Amino acid sequence: RKEVEQDPGPFNVPEGATVAFNCTYSNSASQSFFWYRQDCRKEPKLLMSVYSSGNEDGRFTAQLNRASQYISLLIRDSKLSDSATYLCVVSIDRGSTLGRLYFGRGTQLTVWP
Amino acid sequence: GAGVSQTPSNKVTEKGKYVELRCDPISGHTALYWYRQSLGQGPEFLIYFQGTGAADDSGLPNDRFFAVRPEGSVSTLKIQRTERGDSAVYLCASSLFSGSANTGELFFGEGSRLTVL
C-alpha cells in the first residue's frame, strides 16, 4: 500500500469554478503535511503547509482530518494559471528535523477559459 | 540564480554504463535530498543528507545506487551498471534547517533527465 494516495484526475474545470482535491495517507504517525504544485516538465514547488486546524492562503484552503487520515485542498475562483499537478505530501517528522517526505502521484488540474 | 542547480539536465546512456548526476544546493542549506520521478508518478524518495552524512538512505533501490556529499554542499548521485528501469527524472532538493523555524519547504532543482537505452 502506498504511503500517500491521490486521485490522479484529470480535473477539467472552467475559469471561476471551485475544485477540491483529496488525498489519504497510510501512516498514522505522520506529523507534517503539505501541498506542492508541479507545472508540466518543471520541478515541484511548495504551495502551502497544512495545519491541524485548517488554513487558508488566498483562494486556497487546506484541511486535515487526522482521524480519517485525509487531507484536502480547495481552490476557489480557479484561474488559467492554476493549471498544474497538485502533489499531496506527508512526513512522519516535524519541526527542525524534517526528513523523508512521501509524495502522492499528484492530481492533474486543467482550467479552461 | 541562487536556486538548486543540477547537471546534466539530460543524460542518455547505454544499459550497463556508469552515470554521475550532480547537485549544487542553495548556499547555506544543510539538508539535501535526492528523489526520482517517473512519468505520471510523484517524486520517489532516494536519500537525504544532513550535512555530510546520509541521514536516511532507505530509498535507494539497490546497491547500484550511491550518493555522496563530501563537504556538506555539492552532492553526486552515482548509478552503476545502469538498467532501462533507471530511466527517470532525478530531482535534487535542499532545505534550510533553522531550529524550530523549519517550514518544511524543499527547494527543488529542475532535475536531470536520465534515459537508459
Side-chain angles (χ1 to χ4, degrees):
Chain A
R1 183 182 175 187
K2 289 194 172 181
E3 293 282 342
V4 180
E5 298 274 8
Q6 282 185 261
D7 178 353
F11 285 66
N12 297 302
V13 302
E15 267 189 299
T18 296
V19 61
F21 307 137
N22 307 311
C23 87
T24 57
Y25 59 94
S26 61
N27 190 340
S28 60
S30 298
Q31 297 286 344
S32 300
F33 309 91
F34 310 93
W35 284 98
Y36 274 69
R37 169 193 169 128
Q38 186 170 26
D39 292 317
C40 188
R41 299 181 77 84
K42 295 288 190 180
E43 72 274 20
K45 294 184 179 178
L46 178 67
L47 177 66
M48 60 195 301
S49 301
V50 185
Y51 303 118
S52 295
S53 55
N55 49 297
E56 189 173 305
D57 183 1
R59 298 181 292 108
F60 299 84
T61 301
Q63 296 279 352
L64 169 65
N65 184 322
R66 285 187 184 269
S68 302
Q69 295 179 201
Y70 171 98
I71 306 162
S72 66
L73 176 68
L74 183 77
I75 306 175
R76 291 182 301 278
D77 189 24
S78 299
K79 310 292 185 191
L80 297 178
S81 57
D82 293 335
S83 298
T85 295
Y86 291 83
L87 299 160
C88 179
V89 185
V90 169
S91 175
I92 62 170
D93 300 309
R94 181 168 56 185
S96 63
T97 56
L98 195 66
R100 177 175 185 165
L101 299 185
Y102 293 91
F103 285 76
R105 64 180 296 184
T107 299
Q108 185 180 344
L109 171 67
T110 300
V111 181
W112 44 274
Chain B
V4 176
S5 176
Q6 291 189 246
T7 55
S9 54
N10 277 286
K11 175 71 177 178
V12 180
T13 191
E14 293 179 344
K15 181 174 177 296
K17 299 290 189 183
Y18 170 79
V19 166
E20 286 190 356
L21 307 175
R22 175 189 166 107
C23 173
D24 201 339
I26 293 172
S27 178
H29 280 194
T30 57
L32 184 147
Y33 307 76
W34 283 100
Y35 281 80
R36 72 176 175 181
Q37 187 173 25
S38 301
L39 193 63
Q41 302 297 318
E44 173 194 14
F45 173 81
L46 296 177
I47 186 170
Y48 141 63
F49 290 88
Q50 181 62 280
T52 60
D56 183 352
D57 64 358
S58 61
L60 294 176
N62 52 59
D63 61 6
R64 296 186 299 105
F65 289 76
F66 189 70
V68 295
R69 195 186 185 198
E71 297 177 357
S73 179
V74 171
S75 176
T76 304
L77 177 66
K78 308 180 180 193
I79 310 173
Q80 298 177 321
R81 304 183 306 279
T82 51
E83 300 178 357
R84 292 193 181 89
D86 299 336
S87 297
V89 176
Y90 287 80
L91 293 164
C92 177
S94 69
S95 181
L96 175 65
F97 279 8
S98 57
S100 61
N102 181 26
T103 63
E105 181 168 9
L106 265 58
F107 295 86
F108 282 88
E110 294 186 345
S112 292
R113 182 175 298 276
L114 175 66
T115 302
V116 182
L117 301 177

